[in-house]
């Protein structure tokens, strides 16, 4: 496979295959992000695509182009969840068996959805890269067809149909910002956009803890990196694909990285301001705007690439986002172990109009003096200034504070 094996003609052909299968997802204007960027910003909502992410596009095109004999052998895939669902659903539509390898600890809703679409699910190890190795070995042993999550021309062409939709929905777009793991999505969008509108900037976004593209681009070849713990599991890929690396290096204008804090803030922003439920990887484009808005010329389209998030993770990430935004505070407060001491502390907080969400009172611990107690407080505040007022008031009253 070479970088010229997929172009806008292949993307248009993929679009024909996807008629009646994938939906043309909406483009929503974001006033908040537009103010931040100094011009119009729109959100391309692939989080409301069938199966909850863009992955159905590439998976369906790849499987639809197999011969009947190949489909009869069954398909095999590896994924943290979204490609798994895309392959399982596409296989069910096209009448073939699917076996999917997912990481141990994959979000339960993604596992349940993959099984609900009719796929067999196996768990070979904790990372997506281990799943890829296991899936390829299984396909060779069992005679199935391996459906790569990103490194195949048909998959790239399928994802590229999003680029064509963006050009139709926002003809004056100047910058497109996309989450990037192995590179299939951003490569496909760039293939579609650059041939038709070469002046439009295409920007990839990776989580800092799982960013293989920056060192790969610097080395002019795909480089494997150790993937750290990141909430953006959907783009936690240790090495770009060979094909996608070539396409990204030739067509994508830049790949930037974002912090975990920005990812959680972006997810919170999507939920609060745009009423869109998005997984952390799906919010990477918005996170890039929060960190690098000055660098993107509007009109900007940021891709919300997926919305398949475990409700338990959503609760954790939202709390993290609230903490980063100064609206959620966890603090340990030392006080004398005397009757009424806790009531006095809570009264101080009430006067400051703080909402106390949780209190844990500890009186016996090696770190505490015999006359001391410690209270772990979970507080809802109104923002960074209010946080500073609360902490300043408590310190002025003589309380010793520590943070969790």
């Amino acid at each position: 496979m070479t970088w010229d094996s997929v172009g806008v003609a292949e993307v248009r052909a993929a679009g024909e295959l996807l008629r009646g299968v994938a939906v043309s997802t909406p483009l929503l204007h974001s006033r908040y992000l537009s103010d931040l960027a100094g011009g119009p910003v729109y959100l391309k909502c692939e989080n409301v695509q069938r199966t909850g992410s863009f992955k159905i596009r590439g998976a369906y095109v790849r499987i639809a182009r197999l011969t009947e004999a190949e489909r009869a052998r069954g398909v095999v895939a590896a994924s943290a969840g979204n490609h798994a669902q895309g392959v399982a659903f596409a296989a069910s539509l096209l009448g073939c068996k699917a076996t999917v390898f997912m990481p141990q600890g994959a979000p339960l809703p993604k596992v349940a959805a993959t099984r609900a679409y009719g796929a067999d699910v196996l768990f070979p190890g904790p990372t997506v890269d281990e799943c890829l190795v296991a899936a390829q070995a299984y396909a060779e042993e069992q005679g199935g067809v391996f459906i790569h999550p990103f490194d195949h021309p048909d998959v790239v062409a399928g994802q590229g149909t999003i680029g064509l939709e963006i050009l139709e929905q926002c003809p004056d777009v100047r910058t497109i910002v996309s989450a990037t793991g192995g590179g299939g999505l951003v490569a496909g969008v760039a293939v579609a956009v650059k041939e038709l509108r070469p002046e439009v900037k295409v920007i990839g976004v990776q989580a800092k803890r799982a960013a293989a593209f920056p060192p790969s681009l610097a080395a002019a070849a795909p480089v494997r990196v150790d993937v750290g713990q990141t909430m953006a599991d959907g783009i936690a890929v240790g090495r770009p694909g060979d094909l996608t690396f070539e396409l990204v290096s030739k067509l994508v204008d830049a790949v930037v990285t974002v912090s975990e804090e920005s990812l959680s803030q972006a997810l919170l922003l999507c939920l609060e301001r745009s009423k869109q439920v998005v997984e952390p990887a799906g919010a990477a484009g918005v996170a890039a705007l929060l960190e690098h808005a000055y660098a993107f010329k509007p009109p900007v389209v940021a891709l919300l690439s997926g919305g398949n998030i475990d409700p338990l993770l959503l609760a954790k990430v939202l709390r993290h986002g609230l903490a980063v935004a100064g609206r959620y505070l966890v603090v340990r407060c030392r006080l004398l172990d005397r009757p009424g001491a806790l009531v006095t502390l809570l009264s101080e907080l009430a006067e400051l109009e703080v909402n106390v969400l949780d209190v844990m009172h500890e009186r016996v611990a090696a770190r505490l003096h015999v006359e001391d107690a410690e209270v772990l407080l979970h507080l809802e505040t109104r923002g960074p200034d209010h946080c500073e007022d609360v902490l300043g008031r408590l310190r002025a009253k003589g309380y010793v504070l520590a943070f969790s």
Side-chain angles (χ1 to χ4, degrees), residues 69-145:
E70 287 173 325
R71 285 201 292 271
R73 286 156 41 197
V75 295
V76 183
S79 166
N82 288 341
H83 179 62
Q85 291 173 75
V87 167
F89 183 53
S92 70
L93 293 177
L94 292 163
C96 64
K97 178 182 164 90
T99 303
V100 178
F101 289 75
M102 299 180 74
Q104 296 163 356
L108 293 179
K110 293 183 178 182
V111 175
T114 303
R115 284 178 170 150
Y117 291 131
D120 293 334
V121 180
L122 302 172
F123 305 94
T127 69
V128 173
D129 287 336
E130 287 175 276
C131 292
L132 282 168
V133 172
Q136 288 171 315
Y138 180 90
E140 290 178 10
E141 292 167 5
Q142 302 297 323
V145 179

Side-chain angles (χ1 to χ4, degrees), residues 6 61 77 110 116 161 201 205 222 233 237 254 259 266 293 341 370 376:
V6 55
V61 172
K110 293 183 178 182
T161 57
K201 302 293 185 185
V205 186
D233 64 292
V237 178
S259 67
V370 69
L376 177 63

Side-chain angles (χ1 to χ4, degrees), residues 316-370:
K316 291 179 183 178
V317 174
L318 288 178
R319 187 173 68 178
H320 188 269
L322 288 168
V324 172
R327 292 166 51 194
Y328 186 89
L329 179 63
V330 181
V331 61
R332 293 182 180 275
C333 184
R334 190 76 59 88
L335 65 163
L336 290 174
D337 188 13
R338 296 285 188 274
L342 181 57
V343 171
T344 300
L345 171 61
L346 296 177
S347 297
E348 295 283 358
L349 294 172
E351 287 183 18
L352 289 162
E353 299 183 345
V354 175
N355 188 20
V356 180
L357 302 176
D358 196 12
V359 177
M360 184 180 294
H361 192 194
E362 189 170 26
R363 301 174 63 217
V364 179
R367 67 180 179 279
L368 296 176
H369 190 274
V370 69

Side-chain angles (χ1 to χ4, degrees), residues 188-273:
V189 169
V191 164
V193 170
K194 288 294 188 175
E195 191 168 332
L196 299 172
R197 294 276 307 281
E199 76 281 6
V200 175
K201 302 293 185 185
V202 178
I203 310 296
V205 186
Q206 296 204 288
K208 285 182 180 176
R209 296 180 180 178
F213 265 104
S216 296
L217 292 170
V223 171
R224 182 173 297 281
V225 299
D226 292 330
V227 173
Q229 193 68 31
T230 175
M231 65 180 74
D233 64 292
I235 53 174
V237 178
R239 182 188 183 278
D242 294 331
L243 172 63
T244 55
F245 173 77
E246 282 197 59
L247 290 167
V248 169
S249 62
K250 294 179 185 302
L251 299 175
V252 173
D253 295 279
V255 177
V256 301
T257 62
V258 292
S259 67
E260 298 297 295
E261 290 74 17
S262 293
L263 287 166
S264 62
Q265 280 188 288
L267 190 147
L268 177 63
L269 188 152
C270 288
L271 187 62
E272 278 196 320
R273 300 299 183 98

Side-chain angles (χ1 to χ4, degrees), residues 14 16 21 31 40 79 91-92 94-95 121 145 159 184 198 254 266 274 287 335 344 379 383 386 399:
E16 290 300 316
V21 176
R31 180 181 297 176
S79 166
S92 70
L94 292 163
V121 180
V145 179
Q159 321 307 26
S274 300
L335 65 163
T344 300
L379 308 174
H386 192 206
Y399 292 107

Side-chain angles (χ1 to χ4, degrees), residues 40 42 166-167 169-175 197 200 297-300:
Y42 301 92
I166 290 173
L167 293 183
Q169 294 169 317
C170 185
D172 58 344
V173 63
R174 296 180 70 187
T175 309
R197 294 276 307 281
V200 175
K297 292 182 180 180
V300 178

